[in-house]
Amino acid sequence: WAAWKTYLGRPEADDNRGLAMGILGEGLLHSRPEEAVLVFEACLALFRRCWPHDDVAILLAQGNLASSLDRLGRPDEALVLTREVYAGFAAKLGVSHERT
C-alpha cells in the first residue's frame, strides 16, 4: 500500500501512479485475490484511458487481470483474457518473442 499511497495524489496520467497500481495488485494477488481483481481492473482502465496506444502495457495489465481471475476461481474469464493477451502479443511482437 505504501507505493500506492505515495503516488495517489499524482495526476492520473503519471507513469509512476500506473506502476504503483500494478505493484499493489501484485502484492494483493496471493493473499487477497478479490482485491487484486479490483486493482487490476482499475489499472487496465487507467492504461486504456491514459495510454491507449501502449499496446504492451495494456496487454500486461490484461495478463495481470487474467492471473487474478484465475486465482480467484474464475477460469473461464481468465481464459478469455489470456487468449486476448496471447493474440495481442503474437500480433505485436511475433510468435517467437518471449512474452508471447
Side-chain angles (χ1 to χ4, degrees):
W1 287 102
W4 171 241
K5 287 180 180 180
T6 299
Y7 297 108
L8 178 61
R10 293 195 180 203
E12 186 178 54
D14 184 285
D15 289 345
N16 291 318
R17 183 176 172 159
L19 292 172
M21 286 180 75
I23 291 168
L24 174 60
E26 290 289 332
L28 293 170
L29 184 59
H30 299 287
S31 61
R32 295 156 78 175
E34 301 87 3
E35 293 177 35
V37 167
L38 298 174
V39 171
F40 286 134
E41 287 173 338
C43 192
L44 178 58
L46 174 73
F47 285 9
R48 285 180 171 156
R49 243 186 346 268
C50 295
W51 302 284
H53 302 295
D54 191 345
D55 297 333
V56 172
I58 291 171
L59 290 169
L60 290 171
Q62 283 180 294
N64 288 337
L65 178 56
S67 294
S68 62
L69 288 169
D70 190 52
R71 186 171 267 311
L72 196 55
R74 294 163 59 182
D76 295 336
E77 293 170 81
L79 182 59
V80 169
L81 275 176
T82 301
R83 286 180 173 159
E84 288 177 19
V85 170
Y86 176 80
F89 275 127
K92 181 79 176 169
L93 305 173
V95 292
S96 38
H97 191 275
E98 66 184 29
R99 291 200 176 175
T100 302

